[in-house]
Amino acid sequence: MERKPEPHDLLVALLLVQSLLERRSEAYFQPFGLTGAQFNILNLLGYRKGRMDQAELVDLLLVGKSSISIVLNRMVRDELIKREEHPKDRRQVVLILTQKGRALWHKISPRYEREVQKVFGSLPAKRRQPFVDDLERLYGALKRNSNETSFSTLRETLQPPAFTA
């Protein structure tokens, strides 16, 4: 008789999946001279008409906030993005996708989406909503137990912005 997974088993399973996703992501983006974090930034900017407040971007990123300025500095150096003063608040910065950054995003994004479909499309459509429901429960529990100050839910974070190429 197969034993039922315990909470720790779920943690280990998620960590294994997350580790494999990170390794696969880095291997995928490396030939383009990018990291997964850099692609996430290009992707967010690309879906938001090429500009976004830096503070908003930091809230949406899938990387640690402590390393974000290093990543952004490298992207500015590589002319993938540029920084401008916020028109209403000089203390804030607006990030803008450069022509070079947009071209790279357009090159990578369709291939990336196909790869995502290959992997995550393996989960049957009827199981996707219950899967997201379970992840939402875990996300909420983690936020409650870590004194997280952000109030967004997992579903709010997943809401895709309107695509504008």
Side-chain angles (χ1 to χ4, degrees), residues 42 48 58 62 64 96 132 148:
L42 288 179
R48 284 176 171 75
V58 168
L62 304 176
I96 299 170
V132 171
E148 178 75 31

Side-chain angles (χ1 to χ4, degrees), residues 74-90:
R74 287 182 184 150
M75 293 180 76
V76 168
R77 179 199 68 203
D78 295 341
E79 300 178 346
L80 298 173
I81 63 171
K82 63 182 181 175
R83 291 182 172 112
E84 284 186 1
E85 193 174 274
H86 193 284
K88 296 178 183 172
D89 185 349
R90 288 191 214 184

Side-chain angles (χ1 to χ4, degrees), residues 104-115:
L104 186 57
W105 178 66
H106 278 288
K107 179 179 180 180
I108 299 171
S109 190
R111 296 176 192 178
Y112 171 75
E113 292 299 329
R114 283 192 300 273
E115 290 298 315

Side-chain angles (χ1 to χ4, degrees), residues 29 34 91 95 115 137 154 161 164:
F29 295 118
L34 292 177
R91 296 169 296 172
L95 300 172
E115 290 298 315
R137 281 183 199 90
L154 181 62
T164 54

